[in-house]
């Protein structure tokens, strides 16, 4: 088996690996190095994370389990710093040496940072990866004024996200028009007006020459001498290929790593793909051409005869809420071009097609982009438009979206290069009936998602009378099945299904082994329904829950023991200190949940550390109750009205270990000053004179959400009763991996209040959660007592960032 090494774990590189696994699944022993501490994720949706529309878990394309299932050795948080092209070996920044027969460089790109004084100050960032997002989110929680340098696609997406995070945002742009490479002045003006209405402020035709401040940024100075205040500066003025490792290894580079039409570099058996590659003097920053490159490279490296890559014509869309925009090809007229234009200022619609010799050479659309798929096909296929009605008389009411007239080679999903014909064939041959299934099978809609309405139209057209709109739009558990959460729960109950395998067999899963999305969900629902007799399928759990510890980017783990209500003892503190010394723990840190974490633990040391600590698991890794944060309360604080520590400890001791659809955090504050942040917890308790207020559905993460007042009670016993009922109702009705904030928004707070107002219902819910709680055992102690568990999970296998070492 040939050794294939890939440097880089991004979208273009991993898509290439996916294509190789399709064409030559047994040909390569694959190793991947990723500089970031994450599996492959959808970088296109970073703006959605910043804008609060999604979270990191939802943008992961290939989870850690995927690498393991495909026997791929993955090293995350580890960069390759040297390629020995003579010995055919790569060397990482951790001194790891790996030989290769074939090498793919997929190192992507970095944000271009202006080479000006102050660019290295704290508070200055690019917008390229998760780390940049986290930095911006953290800054938004502390500071109020942001400046984004760059009025292009990425800059505007960053600015919209910072507005959503509550910051005041100025956008600095060197040119007189926004997105001047994609939009003509009319469309640019319309875009600027819309974004100003959303709250952005623009500083046009400004050249930044210095970033002000001592250690942290305080403002910017422009070439004209004017200045602007800033607590955060985001540079979004472009990208530069990450080509250094190739350059230092003697591989020919220019703007990027120079490749031929088969993605081969100047050195035999070394290839480049993605944003780091330069093909015919072009470096592409959009995902569609990078996926095209990946298909060509996969065929070449697998020894198949394939078509060469001949470059790409790209289309641009802006991923900002409420704005429809599309651009492709040439923007400006010259003596050889003619324009076809519709401009409806009242409705905010602008369409302009640039033609030359009866061919479309450029497209700009704003406010209505329904024609974009058809027009883009006509542009790329160089179709003669003589006698063709480009736009209908009434803007937006044309037949451009009529899938019956679409040719099979028309591109539907530009990000992934999926045509109508490919989607129709998949529907017909694979028996697909839902949008989720089509997306899972073909990749259409997996990236930016804007093509999903059209994909659904194709699904309806292909199925004809067999199309069921409700079925097509319903959210299935995953792409392995059409079964929804409600149907799964009903079938488990009706048919008495008792195991993950049985569920998939009886309900006719398309993928008989399931996937990393559906197996944990099925396992959760089985445990929730069969409260006392179900035996947990540990191997169907997510990796952190399976290991009962959080895996870190370097393959080590974190141990966080339980500290009820944030209260500890001198004896426990001594044990933690002794363990940290004994096992040379590299980091001991106070967590945000009032606990102590031991970071950098080797997997094989976990059972011994748990034994020496002799403390229960804090479940910092689980979809369960994480922690109950408390203030010191009435016992010590002169403002406290209630005993917050006592209630916090009681809550944590009762509900620890309970499986929930997603993680649950609680906070108990002895007074409305909310020192324990009760107002942004999944369940928060605030002490008042004569009782407690209970708040629910708060979220202190990216999608910041204050809690809603559920009820006010007088006694601690009433708190426990209401909390138990609320927790069980959430357990029984939420989708797996649905946070309480999203659940309450979906089902409605008034509905939840109505359910819990009934005394008999509360009693029944509490009886069921009490019954469930009785089945749980302490997981760390179970591992200590079982040699079988230790051999299976902590001794015989070496898990490194989610994949087994072979």
């Amino acid at each position: 088996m040939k050794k294939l090494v890939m440097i880089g774990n991004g979208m273009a590189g991993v898509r290439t690996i996916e294509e190789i696994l399709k064409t030559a699944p047994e040909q390569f022993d694959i190793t991947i190095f990723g500089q970031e501490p994450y599996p492959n994720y959808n970088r296109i949706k970073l703006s959605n994370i910043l804008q609060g529309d999604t979270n990191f878990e939802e943008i992961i394309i290939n989870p850690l389990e995927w690498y393991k299932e495909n026997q791929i050795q993955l090293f995350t948080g580890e960069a390759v710093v040297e390629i020995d092209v003579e010995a055919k070996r790569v060397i990482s920044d951790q001194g790891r040496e790996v030989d290769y027969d074939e090498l793919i460089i997929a190192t992507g790109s970095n944000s271009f940072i202006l080479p000006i004084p102050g660019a290295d100050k704290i508070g200055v960032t690019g917008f390229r990866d998760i780390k940049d997002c986290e930095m911006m989110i953290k800054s938004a929680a502390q500071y109020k004024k942001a400046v984004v340098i760059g009025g292009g696609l990425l800059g505007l997406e960053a600015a919209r996200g910072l507005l959503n995070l509550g910051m005041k945002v100025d956008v600095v742009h060197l040119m007189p028009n926004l997105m001047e490479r994609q939009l003509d002045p009319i469309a640019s003006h319309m875009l600027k007006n819309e974004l100003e209405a959303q709250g952005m402020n623009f500083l046009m035709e400004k050249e930044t020459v210095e970033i002000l401040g001592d250690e942290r940024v305080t403002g910017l100075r422009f070439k004209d001498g004017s200045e602007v205040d800033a607590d955060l500066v985001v540079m979004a003025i472009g990208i530069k290929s990450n080509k250094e490792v190739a350059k230092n290894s003697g591989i020919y580079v220019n703007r990027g790593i120079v490749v031929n039409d088969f993605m081969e570099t100047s050195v035999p058996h070394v290839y480049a793909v993605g944003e780091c590659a330069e093909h015919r003097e072009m470096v592409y920053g959009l995902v569609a051409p990078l996926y095209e490159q990946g298909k060509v490279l996969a065929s070449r490296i697998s020894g198949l005869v394939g078509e060469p890559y001949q470059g790409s014509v790209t289309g641009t869309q802006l991923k900002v809420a409420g704005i429809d925009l599309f651009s492709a090809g040439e923007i400006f007229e010259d003596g050889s071009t003619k324009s076809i234009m519709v401009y409806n200022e009242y409705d905010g619609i602008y369409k302009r097609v640039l033609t030359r010799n009866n061919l479309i050479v450029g497209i700009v659309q704003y406010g209505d982009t329904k024609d974009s798929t058809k027009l883009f096909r006509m542009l790329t296929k160089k179709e003669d438009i003589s006698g063709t009605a480009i736009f209908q008389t009434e803007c937006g009411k044309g037949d451009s979206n009529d899938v019956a007239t679409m040719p099979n080679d028309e591109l539907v999903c530009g990000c992934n290069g999926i045509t109508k014909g490919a989607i129709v064939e998949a529907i017909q041959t694979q028996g697909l009936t839902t949008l989720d299934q089509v997306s899972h099978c073909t990749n259409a809609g997996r990236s930016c998602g804007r093509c999903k309405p059209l994909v659904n139209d194709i699904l309806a057209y292909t199925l004809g009378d067999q199309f069921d709109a409700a079925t097509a739009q319903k959210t299935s558990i995953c792409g392995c099945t059409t079964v929804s959460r409600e149907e799964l729960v009903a079938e488990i109950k009706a048919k008495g299904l008792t195991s993950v395998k049985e569920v998939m067999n009886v309900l006719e899963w398309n993928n008989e082994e399931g996937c990393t999305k559906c197996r944990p969900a099925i396992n959760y629902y089985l445990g929730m329904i069969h409260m006392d007799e179900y035996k947990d399928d540990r191997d169907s759990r997510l990796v952190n829950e399976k290991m009962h510890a959080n895996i870190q980017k370097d393959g080590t783990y974190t141990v966080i023991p339980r500290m009820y209500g944030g209260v500890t003892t001198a004896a426990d503190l001594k044990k933690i200190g002794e363990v940290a010394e004994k096992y040379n723990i590299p980091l001991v840190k106070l967590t945000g949940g009032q606990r102590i974490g031991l970071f950098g633990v080797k997997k094989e040391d976990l059972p011994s550390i748990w034994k020496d600590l002799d403390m229960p698991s804090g479940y910092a890794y689980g979809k369960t109750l994480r922690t109950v944060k408390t203030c010191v309360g009435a016992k010590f604080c002169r403002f406290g009205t209630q005993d917050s520590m006592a209630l916090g400890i009681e809550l944590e001791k009762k509900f620890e270990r309970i499986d929930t659809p997603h993680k649950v955090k609680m906070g108990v504050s002895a007074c409305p000053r909310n020192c324990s942040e009760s107002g942004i917890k999944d369940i928060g308790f605030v002490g008042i004179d004569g009782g407690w207020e209970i708040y629910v559905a708060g979220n202190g993460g990216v999608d910041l959400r204050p809690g809603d007042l559920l009820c006010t009670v007088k006694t601690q016993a009433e708190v426990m009763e209401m909390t138990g009922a609320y927790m069980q109702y959430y357990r029984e009705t939420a989708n797996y991996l649905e946070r309480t904030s999203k659940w309450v928004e979906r089902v409605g707070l008034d509905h939840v209040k109505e359910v819990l107002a009934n005394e008999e219902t509360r009693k029944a819910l509490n009886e069921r959660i009490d019954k469930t709680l009785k089945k749980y055992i302490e997981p760390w102690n179970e591992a200590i007592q079982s040699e079988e568990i230790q051999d299976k999970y902590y001794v015989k296998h070496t898990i490194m960032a989610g994949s087994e070492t072979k």
Side-chain angles (χ1 to χ4, degrees), residues 37 84 168 222 240 265 380 395 445 451 458 463 473 704 711 736 778:
D84 187 336
K168 181 181 177 183
F222 304 116
K240 58 180 181 179
T265 70
T380 55
C395 201
C451 64
I458 295 172
L463 294 178
Q473 290 296 329
L704 185 65
C711 62
Y736 185 66
E778 212 297 305

Side-chain angles (χ1 to χ4, degrees), residues 317 326 328 340 351 353 360 362-363 365 369-385 387-393 397-407 409-413 420 454:
Q317 293 177 319
F326 180 82
I340 305 171
K351 298 186 177 189
V353 169
I360 293 177
I363 307 165
Q365 294 187 311
T369 60
K370 294 185 183 72
D371 297 313
S372 61
T373 301
K374 180 186 76 172
L375 295 175
F376 189 63
R377 181 201 77 228
M378 296 170 77
L379 185 154
T380 55
K381 298 294 182 182
K382 298 182 180 180
E383 295 180 11
D384 190 319
I385 63 170
T388 303
I390 298 299
F391 303 126
Q392 297 300 305
T393 304
K397 298 290 182 67
D399 64 352
S400 63
N401 213 27
D402 183 359
V403 298
T405 62
M406 288 173 60
D409 63 352
E410 182 159 324
L411 199 61
V412 174
C413 178
K420 173 195 170 184
L454 181 54

Side-chain angles (χ1 to χ4, degrees), residues 20-324:
I20 291 171
L21 292 172
K22 290 178 186 177
T23 57
E26 305 297 330
Q27 189 170 338
F28 296 103
D29 180 354
I30 303 173
T31 299
I32 299 177
F33 286 87
Q35 187 170 2
E36 292 187 78
Y38 312 106
N40 176 39
Y41 63 86
N42 189 346
R43 199 179 299 274
I44 295 173
K45 293 193 174 181
L46 286 176
S47 57
N48 297 86
I49 285 186
L50 201 59
Q51 292 168 32
D53 297 329
T54 188
N55 58 48
F56 178 64
E57 289 179 342
E58 292 172 343
I59 73 167
I60 292 175
I61 300 174
N62 301 89
L64 293 172
E65 287 83 353
W66 175 84
Y67 298 85
K68 181 177 179 181
E69 290 166 1
N70 288 284
Q71 296 184 312
I72 297 171
Q73 174 68 74
L74 171 66
F75 298 109
T76 59
E78 190 168 347
V80 169
V81 294
E82 183 182 343
I83 304 169
D84 187 336
V85 296
E86 297 297 329
K88 298 178 73 174
R89 179 180 302 125
V90 299
I91 303 168
S92 79
D93 56 3
Q94 297 184 21
R96 192 186 312 276
E97 298 186 7
V98 177
D99 294 332
Y100 67 84
D101 295 303
E102 309 288 347
L103 175 67
I104 299 173
I105 305 175
T107 46
S109 63
N110 299 317
S111 294
F112 181 76
I113 302 299
L114 286 171
I116 57 175
D120 57 349
K121 293 187 186 301
I122 298 171
V124 179
T125 183
F127 182 29
R128 199 72 200 138
D129 55 28
I130 286 292
K131 186 178 179 181
D132 295 333
C133 279
E134 290 174 341
M135 188 270 198
M136 286 186 265
I137 292 165
K138 184 178 179 181
S139 296
Q142 297 177 271
Y143 302 99
K144 295 302 177 187
K145 180 67 188 299
V147 173
V148 176
I149 302 177
L153 194 69
L154 202 61
L156 298 179
E157 291 175 2
R160 178 63 262 180
L162 293 169
L163 280 178
N164 287 13
L165 291 171
M167 300 194 82
K168 181 181 177 183
V169 182
D170 288 337
V171 177
V172 175
H173 196 49
L174 183 63
M175 306 302 289
N177 296 309
L178 299 174
M179 293 182 65
E180 71 282 351
R181 294 182 181 179
Q182 295 87 19
L183 302 181
D184 61 20
I186 295 176
S188 178
H189 178 70
M190 295 175 74
L191 174 63
K192 182 171 178 286
N193 287 343
E194 172 61 30
L195 293 175
E196 284 176 334
Q198 292 186 15
M200 289 185 206
N201 181 55
F202 292 96
L203 304 175
M204 306 299 290
E205 299 183 81
K206 293 282 189 180
E207 181 179 353
T208 308
V209 295
E210 184 180 359
I211 296 177
L212 307 175
D214 294 325
E215 291 187 358
R216 184 177 183 89
V217 58
T218 59
L220 283 75
R221 179 176 294 127
F222 304 116
K223 191 174 183 178
D224 62 9
S226 61
E227 297 180 358
V228 64
D229 293 335
D231 303 310
L232 171 70
V233 173
V234 179
M235 292 198 190
I237 54 176
I239 59 173
K240 58 180 181 179
S241 294
N242 190 356
K243 60 188 179 182
E244 294 308 309
V245 67
K247 180 181 179 181
N248 295 338
S249 303
I251 298 169
Y252 180 58
V253 302
N254 187 36
R255 288 177 58 211
I257 304 168
V258 177
V259 296
N260 63 16
D261 290 352
F262 293 97
M263 314 313 295
E264 297 167 321
T265 70
S266 62
V267 173
H269 304 290
V270 179
Y271 312 82
V273 68
E275 293 172 337
C276 66
E278 179 182 339
H279 174 264
R280 299 186 185 179
E281 300 183 347
M282 282 291 296
V283 175
Y284 295 94
L286 298 174
V287 70
L290 309 186
Y291 284 174
E292 292 177 37
Q293 293 175 2
K295 287 184 178 180
V296 171
L297 174 53
S299 293
R300 188 65 163 185
I301 209 168
S302 301
L304 303 176
V305 178
E307 293 294 323
Y309 178 64
Q310 297 181 0
S312 302
V313 177
T314 59
T316 299
Q317 293 177 319
L318 183 64
K319 297 180 290 299
V320 170
I323 293 177
D324 255 345

Side-chain angles (χ1 to χ4, degrees), residues 494-652:
K495 294 185 167 74
L497 306 178
T498 58
S499 73
V500 173
K501 193 71 174 177
E502 186 180 24
V503 167
M504 293 190 293
N505 287 338
V506 172
L507 301 186
E508 298 179 344
W509 245 236
N510 295 330
N511 176 6
E512 62 182 18
E513 295 299 323
C515 68
T516 54
K517 187 174 181 181
C518 64
R519 290 183 66 91
I522 297 170
N523 185 56
Y524 168 75
Y525 293 129
L526 286 167
M528 183 267 293
I529 293 166
H530 303 302
M531 286 167 275
D532 45 11
E533 66 267 25
Y534 178 66
K535 180 172 173 49
D536 180 70
D537 185 351
R538 182 166 177 169
D539 288 328
S540 288
R541 285 188 174 269
L542 299 171
V543 62
N544 286 343
E545 293 184 327
K546 181 163 61 179
M547 300 303 295
H548 286 293
N550 275 324
I551 192 167
Q552 303 300 313
K553 69 178 185 179
D554 60 355
T556 62
Y557 289 82
T558 301
V559 171
I560 300 179
R562 183 68 76 181
M563 287 184 177
Y564 298 104
V567 177
T568 187
T569 65
D572 282 346
L573 289 174
K574 285 180 181 178
K575 283 191 288 188
I576 291 172
E578 289 166 355
V579 164
E581 281 191 344
K582 179 178 178 180
Y583 294 92
N584 296 314
I585 305 296
L587 176 65
V588 181
K589 186 184 183 303
L590 296 177
T591 72
Q594 296 181 330
R595 300 189 289 195
I596 296 176
L598 303 176
F599 293 78
V601 175
K602 297 176 183 177
K603 186 187 72 170
E604 58 269 24
D605 287 339
L606 285 171
S608 299
I609 286 176
W610 296 338
K611 183 177 181 180
D612 289 349
L613 283 173
D614 192 25
M615 298 172 70
S617 168
Y619 269 84
Y621 48 81
K623 304 294 182 283
T624 181
L625 174 65
R626 292 287 181 89
T627 180
V628 181
K629 194 171 184 176
T630 68
C631 64
V632 296
K635 281 191 174 181
F636 294 94
C637 178
R638 59 196 178 98
F639 299 110
T641 60
Q642 300 290 344
D643 190 346
S644 55
M645 287 190 293
L647 177 58
I649 291 169
E650 184 176 355
L651 286 163
E652 197 162 350

